[in-house]
Amino acid sequence: MRSFSLNLKIVLLLIFAGQSIGGIAQVIEPESDKDYYLIHSGACVLSRADDGRAVVQTAGATGTQVLNFVADGRGYYTVKLKDRREYMALSGSWNTYFVSDSTADAAKYAVEEVRKGIVRLRCKANRKYLGTDNSTAGSHVYSDKSGSDERHYWLISEEIREFPVDADSLYYLINPSDAFSKSFEGWGVSLCWWANMCGRWEENKIDEIIDWLVSPEGLNYRIFRYNIGGGDDPLNRNCDPHHMALGKGLRAEMEGFKDSADAPYDWSRDAAQRKIMLKIREKRPDAVFEAFSNSPPWYMTYSGCVAGNEPAGLDNLKPEYYEAFATYLVDVCRFYKDSFDLEFKTLEPFNEPVTDYWGRNGGQEGCHFSTASQIAFLRVLAPKLEASGLNTVISASDESYTDQSVRDFLAYRNGQVIALTGQWNTHTYSANNHSRAALRELASAEDITLWMSEVGAGGSGLAGNLSLAQKLIDDIRYIRPEAWIDWQYVEENNDQWCTVRGSFQNQRYWKVKNFYVRRQFTQFIQAGWRFLNVPNNKMLSALSPGGDSLIVVALNTSTVRPAYHSIDLSLFDEIYRGITMSRTSQSENNQTVNDFVWRDSCLQFVLPPQSIGTLMIPVAFTPETNTEPVSGRPYLIASRCSGLMLQAEGDGVLINDYRPADSSQLWLLQKAGEGYTIGNLQGLRLNDDGSYFLKTTSTFDPNNQLFDLDLRNDNFFKISSLSTGKALDLQGANYTPGTRVGLYGYDEGGADKVVTRQWMFLRPPRRLSDFNTSLFPPEHETALEVQLSVAPGMVQLFCPSFGHDGKTYRLRLFNLSGIMVRESRLNSAITRLSLPEGFYLLSIDAGAEEKIFVQKIIVP
């Protein structure tokens, strides 16, 4: 492992020094008279199948694979089969076929460079990308992809070749003053159902697994959800005996505290789960506990079975038992307070209530509650809980899906029961970033605590573990929960839904890879810390309460590419000695590594394929007090519900992936009267011409180009036109790359839509707007005559004196991050360079000591 780390460090230094690793043919502007192959990132080649569908196949397999790219002169290409009038086109909503009509927008694709000759193809008709769901030969090609996955990446090549295994290079700035509005309460896990089994183990084994769970050297969890069991009919009159054993196993058979409506409470029950909970409190005095119910006791239900009703999509709690169930829940909370001085912070009476999978004879306790029934029950529960004298408050609604959680929240608000709850819980088994962001906006508006209270995921091996880590990152970035809580700690039959695997019967147990993946977050980011806004969806950053420690957790889910991070930390006053890095990969478990470099206020580190790394950085900083964007300072303007950047394209505006040094994404605000003009570094200003779509123009018109910035919740802004009052809006409430930006009434379409009209201003890495850095030679007049001609996507150099002085000239091109993107020798008086749009620094020299010509250029 030592030699691998050393080699990786050398590669890291070479990359960030601007050296190239291997030559990659940069075909980003294919020529109409040439034949090409479109090589997929999975190593297959785009082909026409016998039924006309676009597929990926092995090179030379059956099917046509040679393509011609015909430019339409407006930035798009038709992609046709060689010697045939068959053109690749979107068919329907997502399928891709070869068709005879090349004139429709469905048959036109823009070629966008991702990095170093790797491209993605964006369909003009729906502004989505070409890609696959799988990488294996025979996989269908679709034109509806987000453009954010390796399976949406291609190489245009004149010959069959390997897809270049390049690196992700990620450049961003961390602003210590741009923190989430609420501090983090901590990480946690449900006690249901592993505690019901492990609480029966030998004492020393219980002690060890709890130490792994709660100690600062272990997972460092401090939030735990106790399951109040309903309890099935002991006589099984309405369900099969041990029906849960056929689903989730005997572990899911929870004991209730009452066998019938008239029976007394039997507090000797649930001894195993109780033992685990009390052991946790003993070892972790600052532990926080929530009580939650999966089902009322059997005798309160329609079906007489705590697994659900029949059919499953109907409520199972009889309304005449609302009072009794509320009393049952409060009595359990009261028992733990009186008997053990353990007071639950919250009481959650529902679990994934608006679902259709809680059915009689099912695999676990579950109970459907319609949203209206939830509201009705809370009106019964709330006064009982308040009268109990407990400090416990109600949490709700624990839906499985975030979009349903949003619908519940709006219904609660309309039903005026939000005030009866002290916390909002959601699961994220099914979640998108729009509903995640909408939930945070709703919770912030009501100033209510928000938890991500349960999630898990399948998959296999480390890839599955990292997939859940990505979900964790998305949850934190968009829900911004005050707590993030796992579903299971110990499992028997998999290594995905747990962090410890074992045998309940044999009392055997061991840590699985998921333990170490989760620990990369939980050991370092602790209660009281605040997460920071950063334009990178593969990482999290957090500051300690005292502002003296910065944590960066970064994820690389690629199976083939390393990821190189360059983090601008120049907004910190000090970065002290003692930076450390921990990493988990296929061969590492929270291993201390040194694959990072600290240089010129920039921290650079590398992650190998399929790995997760955490950096601990001692810092000091002075917080900024002004939350408003500052005139004259470049900003990235990011969509709240996607994290994608506002970008000018043509005379319009869209959202796209963050692209460092892309001048179309860097925006300057200038105060003008009652508002601001907003223009990018290409000289294009946002313009409201009265139509839906937001436009850009290089000319100034004070009537259409003044915008108001209105600070909303969580440091997001409503950006609205002063001429029409309409706010910047994502077309169709979409949030994928290429979505166009329009202007729409801010409050129209429902409270969950406002997040499509909210934006955050992020500071870019300083080198995106500052040439005064040691990586750039100074700009100055020289004797060498060089005439520059710049056109969209192209720069032409004319050197009249070339070849007359006997010198050999070297051309180097740097982007604004200081990374050298092109190096070559001048071979003639005229040189043409094809370049993506952006700012560059061009340097020509005749040796290391003789700087001849340096010039800043802007490629439109």
Side-chain angles (χ1 to χ4, degrees), residues 433-442 478 638-642 716-717 728-730 735 746 750-759:
N433 291 339
H434 177 202
S435 58
R436 284 179 170 113
L439 200 55
R440 175 76 261 172
E441 162 66 18
L442 292 168
Y478 294 98
S639 161
R640 174 169 190 169
C641 61
S642 70
F716 291 97
F717 286 83
L728 269 63
D729 170 65
L730 298 181
Y735 48 91
Y746 180 76
D752 59 321
K753 296 297 189 297
V754 298
V755 292
T756 67
R757 299 161 201 145
Q758 291 184 352
W759 306 83

Side-chain angles (χ1 to χ4, degrees), residues 108-401:
K108 296 180 179 180
Y109 291 82
V111 177
E112 298 179 355
E113 185 177 31
V114 178
R115 59 179 180 275
K116 294 185 180 178
I118 298 171
V119 301
R120 57 187 181 187
L121 279 70
R122 176 165 51 81
C123 181
K124 185 177 182 181
N126 64 359
R127 309 188 73 82
K128 300 291 182 67
Y129 291 88
L130 193 75
T132 64
D133 290 337
N134 299 294
S135 298
T136 54
S139 298
H140 290 152
V141 175
Y142 302 98
S143 293
D144 70 331
K145 301 305 179 186
S146 68
S148 59
D149 190 275
E150 287 179 352
R151 293 167 295 181
H152 313 158
Y153 293 170
W154 304 86
L155 179 71
I156 302 173
S157 176
E158 295 181 59
E159 59 185 6
I160 297 295
R161 53 169 297 179
E162 291 185 2
F163 191 89
V165 180
D166 195 11
D168 270 333
S169 296
L170 307 166
Y171 308 94
Y172 49 93
L173 174 143
I174 293 181
N175 184 351
S177 297
D178 195 2
F180 289 8
S181 58
K182 301 246 180 132
S183 59
F184 193 54
E185 290 184 42
W187 312 94
V189 70
S190 170
L191 302 182
C192 171
W193 301 291
W194 64 273
N196 188 37
M197 305 302 289
C198 296
R200 310 165 199 254
W201 286 4
E202 297 170 7
E203 197 75 18
N204 64 318
K205 294 181 178 180
I206 292 175
D207 280 331
E208 184 169 51
I209 63 169
I210 299 303
D211 286 340
W212 289 357
L213 178 63
V214 306
S215 71
E217 296 76 26
L219 287 175
N220 197 32
Y221 282 8
R222 69 180 292 263
I223 298 175
F224 305 92
R225 303 184 73 225
Y226 170 80
N227 179 208
I228 299 177
D232 241 333
D233 179 3
L235 301 179
N236 297 299
R237 285 166 288 191
N238 301 286
C239 54
D240 298 334
H242 303 300
H243 56 89
M244 293 180 191
L246 302 176
K248 302 298 171 58
L250 293 176
R251 61 187 178 139
E253 291 187 355
M254 298 300 298
E255 293 180 296
F257 294 106
K258 285 170 66 87
D259 287 338
S260 67
D262 300 326
Y265 284 102
D266 184 350
W267 298 117
S268 68
R269 295 187 175 167
D270 200 28
Q273 187 181 197
R274 179 183 307 132
K275 184 170 186 176
I276 293 292
M277 183 164 64
L278 295 178
K279 181 70 74 172
I280 287 171
R281 187 181 64 167
E282 173 190 328
K283 291 177 176 287
R284 185 78 193 230
D286 67 338
V288 175
F289 296 97
E290 174 172 80
F292 78 100
S293 167
N294 284 323
S295 171
W298 71 274
Y299 57 86
M300 300 183 186
T301 68
Y302 283 108
S303 69
C305 175
V306 294
N309 206 343
E310 194 171 40
L314 297 180
D315 285 6
N316 203 23
L317 176 64
K318 295 178 180 179
E320 59 265 33
Y321 277 97
Y322 279 12
E323 188 90 13
F325 183 44
T327 299
Y328 180 80
L329 294 175
V330 173
D331 284 351
V332 173
C333 294
R334 179 84 257 174
F335 164 72
Y336 276 100
K337 173 63 176 175
D338 292 344
S339 302
F340 302 101
D341 195 27
L342 189 154
E343 189 165 35
F344 294 106
K345 175 182 184 285
T346 47
L347 169 62
E348 166 60 273
F350 317 120
N351 175 60
E352 301 179 0
V354 183
T355 53
D356 60 1
Y357 45 73
W358 302 131
R360 190 177 70 86
N361 272 331
Q364 69 171 84
E365 291 191 350
C367 184
H368 184 279
F369 285 87
S370 69
T371 307
S373 297
Q374 294 173 44
I375 292 171
F377 180 72
L378 290 181
R379 291 192 173 118
V380 175
L381 175 62
K384 282 192 174 294
L385 185 57
E386 185 176 3
S388 71
L390 296 168
N391 294 314
T392 303
V393 298
I394 295 172
S395 57
S397 63
D398 249 18
E399 292 290 1
S400 180
Y401 312 130

Side-chain angles (χ1 to χ4, degrees), residues 840-853:
Y840 299 88
L841 193 79
L842 175 69
S843 171
I844 300 175
D845 62 58
E849 300 300 321
E850 187 175 0
K851 306 297 182 188
I852 301 298
F853 180 87

Side-chain angles (χ1 to χ4, degrees), residues 765-800:
R766 61 191 170 90
R767 292 190 183 115
L768 296 182
S769 57
D770 179 10
F771 282 102
N772 297 320
T773 160
S774 60
L775 291 179
F776 292 136
E779 185 175 9
H780 58 276
E781 298 292 333
T782 65
L784 179 65
E785 181 183 1
V786 179
Q787 299 174 12
L788 291 176
S789 175
V790 181
M794 186 272 292
V795 175
Q796 179 171 288
L797 292 79
F798 176 52
C799 303

Side-chain angles (χ1 to χ4, degrees), residues 50-61:
D50 292 339
D51 62 357
R53 291 191 72 160
V55 298
V56 290
Q57 296 177 335
T58 55

